[in-house]
Amino acid sequence: MLLPLPAARAARRSVSVLAFDGMAPFELGCVVEIFGISRPELDAPWYELAVCAETRDDLRVVGGFSMRAEHGLDVLTAADTVIVPGVPDVRGEVSPAVTAALRAAHDRGARVVSICSGAFALAAAGLLDGREATTHWKYAGLLQERFPRVRVNPDVLYVDGDDVLTSAGSAAGLDLLLHLVRKDHGPGVANTVARRLVIPPHREGGQAQFVQAAVAPVEDDDAVAAAMAWALDHLSDPITVADLARVARMSQRTFIRHFGRQSGTSPLRWVISQRVAASLTLLESTAAPVEEIAAAVGFDSPVTFRHHFARAMRTSPSAYRRAFRPSA
């Protein structure tokens, strides 16, 4: 079945992506997968992708191979959307030729996009001054330090500034690229592409970069592991530290100390994170009201559920559900 595009959005759009010596292949591969592969199931021209580089020499790629880009920075600058999938060194200087090309592209109206450490190139070009932006959480502090005029938000998947967009690390780049498709062609087309990639159709940019997950039990701490396992089997019931300590056959003080050493967090925070995690499957796969889901995973009220869900996921339960069930 061919999916028609809205008439106003049916024009072919050109996309360029910057390749560079020492790059990682995943982010470039994401751009190629989204924009470089034809989509015959869509009743409209797809994007035209150009891989560009500052040099025509072979470029070393992480993993032990090399590649050569077919186009130079002149083609990069001329595209409707310009994507920077990273930089060779987050502590190094970005090539003046690259920053000039990015500024020229933006000045002529191009949409400029970064994935992961690519935000350092956009910042070096001055395109993030006075703007909110994100990058991989482990680079956020350095980005803020090196470019104090940027308002760095380390907690989100991506930031859509309309003409300048930034994303967090690697997989969050896929979220941003699908977001671009959604903006250009609507949710039906974006969902079709997501299904081809076997990934969720949409995660909102404000969603957290990562959610604290259960830590695998260590062999020499079976008592804490048993308490964790018991908690996971009783998430819908009220759970206190005293309950967990009793299962572990420890005093509360001893249990809290052992639990923190193993998991890196407190028992109750861990239980909350597991309840939020358990709610995701219910939101994704059922039409149950939020009130029922809150009770099913052990929150004492929908208000408490929404509060903890928003803190963990940087979005609401209803918004999260719409990503998987657009008609909900």
Side-chain angles (χ1 to χ4, degrees):
M1 176 180 178
L2 297 179
L3 297 178
L5 298 182
R9 296 171 173 172
R12 184 183 297 269
R13 294 171 181 266
S14 58
V15 177
S16 63
V17 58
L18 179 68
F20 52 87
D21 193 57
M23 73 183 307
F26 180 81
E27 290 83 356
L28 177 64
C30 290
V31 176
V32 173
E33 184 72 29
I34 297 291
F35 300 111
I37 295 178
S38 62
R39 304 288 173 185
E41 68 273 23
L42 302 177
D43 187 19
W46 197 237
Y47 299 87
E48 282 187 340
L49 176 67
V51 179
C52 308
E54 187 176 356
T55 176
R56 298 297 178 87
D57 296 334
D58 287 348
L59 304 171
R60 294 169 298 170
V61 180
V62 173
F65 63 98
S66 62
M67 61 165 285
R68 182 176 298 177
E70 292 187 0
H71 306 284
L73 295 182
D74 55 332
V75 174
L76 182 89
T77 302
D80 297 321
T81 298
V82 177
I83 302 175
V84 183
V87 294
D89 180 5
V90 293
R91 298 184 181 278
E93 297 301 318
V94 179
S95 160
V98 169
T99 56
L102 294 175
R103 283 193 293 268
H106 182 257
D107 289 346
R108 52 164 289 276
R111 181 171 57 182
V112 184
V113 180
S114 70
I115 300 174
C116 196
S117 65
F120 286 80
L122 272 56
L127 302 185
L128 299 182
D129 287 356
R131 293 178 181 260
E132 182 181 353
T134 194
T135 186
H136 193 292
W137 57 266
K138 71 177 181 179
Y139 300 141
L142 180 61
L143 181 65
Q144 188 68 82
E145 178 184 333
R146 291 193 59 195
F147 302 99
R149 297 184 65 184
V150 181
R151 292 185 286 113
V152 179
N153 185 344
D155 298 325
V156 297
L157 295 178
Y158 57 83
V159 174
D160 182 351
D162 192 30
D163 56 332
V164 179
L165 303 91
T166 55
S167 81
S170 298
L174 266 176
D175 293 302
L176 178 54
L177 299 180
L178 279 174
H179 175 67
L180 295 179
V181 174
R182 182 178 292 264
K183 290 183 68 172
D184 293 344
H185 300 309
V189 171
N191 289 349
T192 297
V193 175
R195 283 195 295 272
R196 296 295 183 268
L197 297 173
V198 198
I199 59 175
H202 182 51
R203 292 195 296 171
E204 292 191 4
Q207 193 166 314
Q209 286 197 26
F210 56 89
V211 179
Q212 186 175 37
V215 178
V218 293
E219 292 182 1
D220 61 353
D221 211 344
D222 289 342
V224 171
M228 286 178 162
W230 177 88
L232 292 175
D233 286 338
H234 294 80
L235 281 180
S236 61
D237 302 327
I239 297 174
T240 66
V241 175
D243 294 330
L244 296 169
R246 184 169 56 252
V247 173
R249 298 183 179 182
M250 298 178 183
S251 70
Q252 291 189 46
R253 177 177 293 184
T254 300
F255 177 75
I256 290 171
R257 184 174 68 253
H258 281 266
F259 193 97
R261 186 181 64 194
Q262 178 173 330
S263 70
T265 188
S266 71
L268 292 184
R269 286 181 179 174
W270 179 85
V271 169
I272 288 170
S273 72
Q274 300 314 302
R275 285 176 166 155
V276 170
S279 75
L280 300 183
T281 299
L282 297 175
L283 290 167
E284 294 166 13
S285 61
T286 77
V290 169
E291 291 77 11
E292 290 184 13
I293 292 176
V297 298
F299 287 104
D300 57 9
S301 73
V303 173
T304 304
F305 172 48
R306 290 187 177 97
H307 169 74
H308 288 296
F309 192 96
R311 287 189 63 182
M313 302 299 293
R314 300 296 193 272
T315 188
S316 69
S318 297
Y320 182 88
R321 165 174 273 164
R322 286 195 295 272
F324 292 87
R325 300 169 60 88
S327 60

